[in-house]
Amino acid sequence: MTKETPEIVVRGRRREAQALAKAFAFQRAMVRTAGLSPGIQAFRDQAWRLFESLPMPDPKDEAWRRTDISGLQAETFRLPQPDAYLDLAPLDESLLSPLAGEAHAGQVVLLPGGVRTSLNESLQAQGVVFTDLLSAERDHADLLEARLGKIVRPEEGKFAAMAAALAHTGVFLYVPRGVVIEQPLHSLLWGPGVGLAHISHLVIWVEDEASVTYVHEYASPTEEGGQTLHVGLVEVYVGEGANLRFVELQSWGEHVWNFTHERVRVARQGNVDWVFGAMGGHVTKNFAELDLVGEGSTGRMSGFYFTDGDQHLDYDSQQNHLAPHTTSDLLFKGALLDRSRVVWQGMIYVAPGAFKTDGYQANRNLVLSRQARADSIPGLEILADDVRCTHGATVGKIDPEQIFYLRARGIPEVEAKRLIVEGFFDPIMQRIPFEGVRARFQEAIQRKMLNFKA
Amino acid sequence: MTDALVIRNLRVRVEGKEILKGVNLTLPKGEVHAIMGPNGTGKSTLAYTLMGHPGYEVVEGEVWFKGQNILELEPDERAHLGIFLAFQYPVAIPGVTVANFLRTALNAQRRARDPEDKGIPIAEFRKLLKEKMALLNMDPSFGGRYLNDGFSGGEKKRAEILQMAVLQPEIAILDETDSGLDIDALRIVAQGVNALRGPNLGVLVITHYQRILNYIQPDVVHVMMDGRIVETGGPDLALHLEEKGYSWVREKLEGDSVLA
Ligand SMILES: Nc1ncnc2c1ncn2[C@@H]1O[C@H](COP(=O)(O)OP(=O)(O)OP(=O)(O)O)[C@@H](O)[C@H]1O
Ligand SMILES: [Mg+2]
């Protein structure tokens, strides 16, 4: 089929793509360099050049084939000005209550053009850094500079470059060697407004033998009158024998277009437990990668999502076994309502020499409406011997016999469906040891199921 | 006879084929009736139809209970009225625990009867569940298992009776609850049903075997063949069938029709 495609069409698409790229109203002057360390300046400068030169994603690329971004109103997006949040929808304070455990060890609240941070004093004394990106650039330039762009490189894509060049919000978490943080850390990126670009960069660095639980949320109300953009980079390093539990929750408003590149690199005997929850957004394209680079490292990726309306959610996951004796385990489960669409494309890659690895991936979808659609595409690429890799992908519907069985016990139809949906998610909820996170998702299920008829 | 389930001339089609061809049966509360009959005769069809399964099309007939033709009600409304079906093949609901499911069901029924009802308090429910599980010799951990998911045949049947015990229906239809049970389990389940017997409960026991009727003594035994109740009698009828098989009824019927 590609053979028969005339060359001219390809060029045509390229030109179109570039037209869209130009349409972003960002300019070089928006790259923040003033007052920054030379290393950080150089990083952002270079990222800007990449942003300018990289084409928009080609709809013919495998990774972008199923996610149409031609409707993105690129020219409408502006970066938030300082204190912009004062004129925007106020922060939903209920989002600040602890999601994990009784209390936070620290909290970072990112608002458009503003920030609030707090961190337990004893952790500060131990050298822990947990603060917003701008403060980190100023106060921890050495620590940060050496780590920007080390896990996710700006050249990985248009949006990666955009975030690297233009990030004006984000979090820097640094846990020094051997420091064990008992209480969880929490950050929230609140992104209200229409026509705004919230561009974030998270750098999470857990040194050898350190341990931490960190919950990061993206949230905004649904607003009328245009689109809002979020572009994010998430760079995570888990050192030797270190432990990270990382929960990301996304409840963007339904006008938000969301593009992220995320990668966790795990060193020898390190372990990451990575949880994704997605409930919001209009279009989301997320690249999430697990790089098991150290012998004996392990990683678990757990995802849950529930889409409705016109939502489109596209996850690209990659589990890279780059060293022997590594273990990865991915389970993504989601339900779809209305006309929503979900794409999951997963790959387990086992590098030459990465023997005795154990890789698992499964994606389960429950399609609740006739017009909803899920594409589930597992993949394996194994270049080593003596490995065990398994995968599974399912797209199913509620069995009417289940509904009848529950109704026969007096449970009304709508409630029966809700119970079945909750049951569907239960195995993934069991992987999330945080009552607050589970409760937040349960609420979202209930809310979305209220509108569920078909 | 104040309260009874009254089935009148019930004709039911499944996928275009007539399975029930005019069933008449009256089950008063306080009584236990058994229905026996060969495979494929329509016993489960009757059970499902009474519960309102959407796959069964009622062509003709009425089923009266508490002054309502229940054929006009949704399955959950029938349950609210006090009708219960112990399924021949219980359905698995993965991810939903027995306890969570039962509490949801119980609260749904309470709410249907009293819109003001706030639901059974958790502690009270736990106590109720524990008590009923003890009645059926069930391990308390059972409440935490996913409903019918990976249950053995016997566990499924026991779980059906557990549901009956918790929900306390007024009409219970037990569709081959005895099949798949070992002798001990059969005795326990039968004892469970007997413990629920009383003036406020009518039971319809669908079975192939006389054995369960030794434990749950029926007041009336019906024989169903080819979509009709063809014979009705006392407990002896079951013994008779056990001894002589259905050919005896068939012959008797043919004899009758020759006479008629
Ligand atoms: N959902 C269905 N789809 C197609 N045919 C059905 C369905 N339910 C019942 N039937 C048919 O109706 C007839 C009666 O079936 P039913 O299950 O009521 O018999 P039964 O008396 O309960 O038998 P058994 O003793 O084996 O349980 C059978 O021929 C069966 O194949
Ligand atoms: Mg049957």
Side-chain angles (χ1 to χ4, degrees):
Chain A
M1 197 199 127
T2 10
K3 262 188 220 140
E4 287 170 27
T5 311
E7 190 65 3
I8 187 112
V9 174
V10 176
R11 287 212 186 107
R13 279 179 191 270
R14 284 233 173 94
R15 208 173 301 133
E16 222 171 81
Q18 300 221 320
L20 185 54
K22 286 261 175 350
F24 278 113
F26 305 133
Q27 288 149 22
R28 188 185 181 94
M30 295 173 182
V31 178
R32 293 178 307 106
T33 48
L36 298 185
S37 77
I40 297 176
Q41 284 190 21
F43 171 76
R44 299 218 188 284
D45 275 336
Q46 197 231 347
W48 173 261
R49 282 194 297 276
L50 283 163
F51 170 63
E52 279 192 316
S53 65
L54 284 169
M56 279 298 278
D58 188 333
K60 290 204 304 177
D61 278 357
E62 182 56 25
W64 289 90
R65 245 161 34 90
R66 296 169 188 84
T67 294
D68 178 11
I69 58 166
S70 59
L72 183 70
Q73 293 162 6
E75 70 286 356
T76 63
F77 301 121
R78 304 284 180 277
L79 299 178
Q81 296 303 304
D83 296 331
Y85 67 92
L86 296 173
D87 301 319
L88 296 169
L91 171 66
D92 175 357
E93 299 280 338
S94 73
L95 294 171
L96 299 182
S97 59
L99 286 173
E102 304 280 288
H104 297 128
Q107 190 167 57
V108 173
V109 182
L110 306 166
L111 306 166
V115 64
R116 292 187 218 159
T117 69
S118 67
L119 178 65
N120 181 316
E121 276 175 20
S122 83
L123 293 179
Q124 292 181 38
Q126 292 176 78
V128 174
V129 177
F130 183 54
T131 190
D132 66 290
L133 182 72
L134 274 59
S135 303
E137 288 171 345
R138 194 181 58 230
D139 304 334
H140 305 279
D142 290 352
L143 277 178
L144 183 63
E145 187 180 298
R147 291 172 176 82
L148 284 177
K150 290 297 184 294
I151 308 284
V152 181
R153 288 164 297 112
E155 55 264 42
E156 288 183 32
K158 185 83 175 173
F159 291 110
M162 185 196 291
L166 293 169
H168 51 86
T169 188
V171 174
F172 181 42
L173 167 61
Y174 179 79
V175 187
R177 191 187 164 89
V179 174
V180 173
I181 304 179
E182 300 287 352
Q183 286 178 325
L185 301 171
H186 181 230
S187 60
L188 168 68
L189 171 53
W190 175 250
V194 169
L196 285 181
H198 303 290
I199 305 185
S200 71
H201 192 166
L202 269 58
V203 179
I204 299 155
W205 213 271
V206 186
E207 295 283 16
D208 298 351
E209 309 297 333
S211 171
V212 63
T213 295
Y214 172 35
V215 181
H216 177 70
E217 279 188 277
Y218 307 88
S220 73
T222 293
E223 293 180 69
E224 305 284 329
Q227 302 175 347
T228 283
L229 176 69
H230 171 255
V231 178
L233 277 188
V234 178
E235 303 194 71
V236 183
Y237 174 76
V238 179
E240 293 188 4
N243 241 299
L244 170 66
R245 282 208 294 213
F246 181 33
V247 180
E248 289 184 80
L249 295 180
Q250 183 268 88
S251 40
W252 287 120
E254 280 160 37
H255 62 305
V256 176
W257 293 60
N258 177 35
F259 304 93
T260 62
H261 283 264
E262 318 190 11
R263 188 174 293 121
V264 177
R265 182 187 298 162
V266 191
R268 202 172 57 83
Q269 300 296 337
N271 172 54
V272 66
D273 191 348
W274 193 5
V275 177
F276 303 81
M279 299 150 228
H282 178 57
V283 170
T284 288
K285 174 80 201 183
N286 172 311
F287 294 92
E289 271 184 58
L290 174 67
D291 277 3
L292 300 171
V293 299
E295 192 161 346
S297 57
T298 60
R300 188 163 83 158
M301 299 167 82
S302 310
F304 53 89
Y305 45 86
F306 195 162
T307 55
D308 63 355
D310 289 317
Q311 286 185 296
H312 181 108
L313 182 62
D314 181 340
Y315 275 116
D316 239 280
S317 73
Q318 182 108 20
Q319 295 150 265
N320 297 318
H321 292 260
L322 306 173
H325 296 282
T326 47
T327 303
S328 72
D329 171 5
L330 177 146
L331 175 62
F332 275 38
K333 291 194 93 165
L336 295 81
L337 275 171
D338 306 332
R339 299 164 306 282
S340 65
R341 180 156 182 213
V342 170
V343 181
W344 171 79
Q345 186 158 16
M347 174 65 79
I348 299 181
Y349 170 76
V350 182
F355 53 86
K356 295 238 186 278
T357 60
D358 192 341
Y360 175 78
Q361 62 176 355
N363 174 229
R364 315 261 174 237
N365 292 286
L366 190 57
V367 179
L368 299 169
S369 310
R370 225 172 307 130
Q371 288 170 290
R373 174 171 162 192
D375 293 291
S376 187
I377 310 157
L380 299 176
E381 189 179 349
I382 300 173
L383 305 177
D385 295 328
D386 195 10
V387 303
R388 197 174 72 189
C389 289
T390 43
H391 62 190
T394 52
V395 175
K397 290 186 271 198
I398 292 185
D399 178 358
E401 295 301 326
Q402 292 182 317
I403 296 174
F404 175 67
Y405 186 76
L406 296 177
R407 294 187 77 189
R409 299 301 182 241
I411 300 172
E413 184 166 1
V414 179
E415 212 179 331
K417 287 177 177 170
R418 186 179 54 72
L419 205 58
I420 293 165
V421 170
E422 285 181 4
F424 169 78
F425 281 113
D426 194 73
I428 199 86
M429 291 294 121
Q430 298 291 333
R431 284 181 168 216
I432 302 164
F434 310 120
E435 186 64 44
V437 174
R438 286 199 300 261
R440 181 76 53 84
F441 188 57
Q442 230 84 39
E443 280 163 28
I445 293 177
Q446 301 225 359
R447 203 173 52 241
K448 294 197 180 206
M449 289 300 284
L450 279 182
N451 307 322
F452 176 35
K453 307 264 154 33
Chain B
M1 194 178 63
T2 49
D3 265 343
L5 182 79
V6 181
I7 304 169
R8 280 200 201 122
N9 190 29
L10 185 61
R11 288 174 52 214
V12 173
R13 260 204 299 248
V14 184
E15 298 195 341
K17 188 169 162 241
E18 188 157 322
I19 305 293
L20 297 188
K21 299 172 180 170
V23 172
N24 291 287
L25 192 153
T26 295
L27 172 65
K29 283 197 342 187
E31 291 189 12
V32 172
H33 289 207
I35 296 189
M36 304 182 81
N39 292 127
T41 246
K43 303 182 300 296
S44 293
T45 300
L46 175 64
Y48 276 132
T49 304
L50 292 176
M51 207 63 241
H53 191 291
Y56 296 78
E57 184 201 344
V58 175
V59 184
E60 203 185 327
E62 296 160 358
V63 178
W64 290 90
F65 185 60
K66 291 188 182 171
Q68 291 194 63
N69 181 2
I70 65 165
L71 298 179
E72 288 160 5
L73 303 178
E74 296 293 322
D76 37 313
E77 293 170 327
R78 299 182 198 200
H80 301 158
L81 210 58
I83 297 176
F84 178 89
L85 168 63
F87 284 58
Q88 183 174 2
Y89 304 109
V91 182
I93 316 283
V96 178
T97 62
V98 170
N100 181 20
F101 155 71
L102 267 175
R103 197 158 68 88
T104 308
L106 187 61
N107 282 338
Q109 298 208 9
R110 287 168 58 131
R111 217 178 322 118
R113 286 167 201 144
D114 171 16
E116 301 289 292
D117 188 86
K118 295 279 177 287
I120 183 167
I122 298 240
E124 195 184 316
F125 175 74
R126 284 216 187 98
K127 189 165 156 277
L128 175 73
L129 186 61
K130 208 173 141 205
E131 187 187 301
K132 300 300 183 188
M133 290 206 307
L135 176 74
L136 292 160
N137 254 7
M138 296 171 93
D139 192 273
S141 68
F142 206 81
R145 286 182 64 184
Y146 292 160
L147 183 61
N148 295 324
D149 194 20
F151 284 15
S152 74
E155 285 170 336
K156 282 184 188 168
K157 297 305 174 77
R158 224 183 267 211
E160 293 292 291
I161 302 306
L162 174 69
Q163 294 174 41
M164 176 180 164
V166 170
L167 298 173
Q168 307 224 316
E170 293 168 47
I171 295 291
I173 304 144
L174 313 185
D175 191 357
E176 294 199 26
T177 300
D178 53 338
S179 65
L181 291 178
D182 63 43
I183 300 163
D184 291 342
L186 179 68
R187 194 175 296 132
I188 291 160
V189 162
Q191 279 166 2
V193 174
N194 284 333
L196 301 170
R197 273 179 93 156
N200 210 29
L201 174 67
V203 185
L204 195 58
V205 181
I206 297 173
T207 183
H208 285 290
Y209 307 105
Q210 150 66 24
R211 204 178 52 177
I212 190 174
L213 303 180
N214 290 337
Y215 298 106
I216 307 174
Q217 283 280 330
D219 300 292
V220 178
V221 175
H222 306 273
V223 179
M224 186 167 183
M225 282 176 87
D226 193 25
R228 287 189 187 90
I229 304 288
V230 294
E231 188 77 29
T232 293
D236 302 353
L237 184 53
L239 287 167
H240 236 77
L241 280 172
E242 182 89 351
E243 216 172 287
K244 300 193 175 148
Y246 291 113
S247 53
W248 163 72
V249 187
R250 245 179 230 121
E251 278 158 25
K252 189 163 173 285
L253 278 177
E254 275 157 23
D256 284 357
S257 57
V258 169
L259 287 179

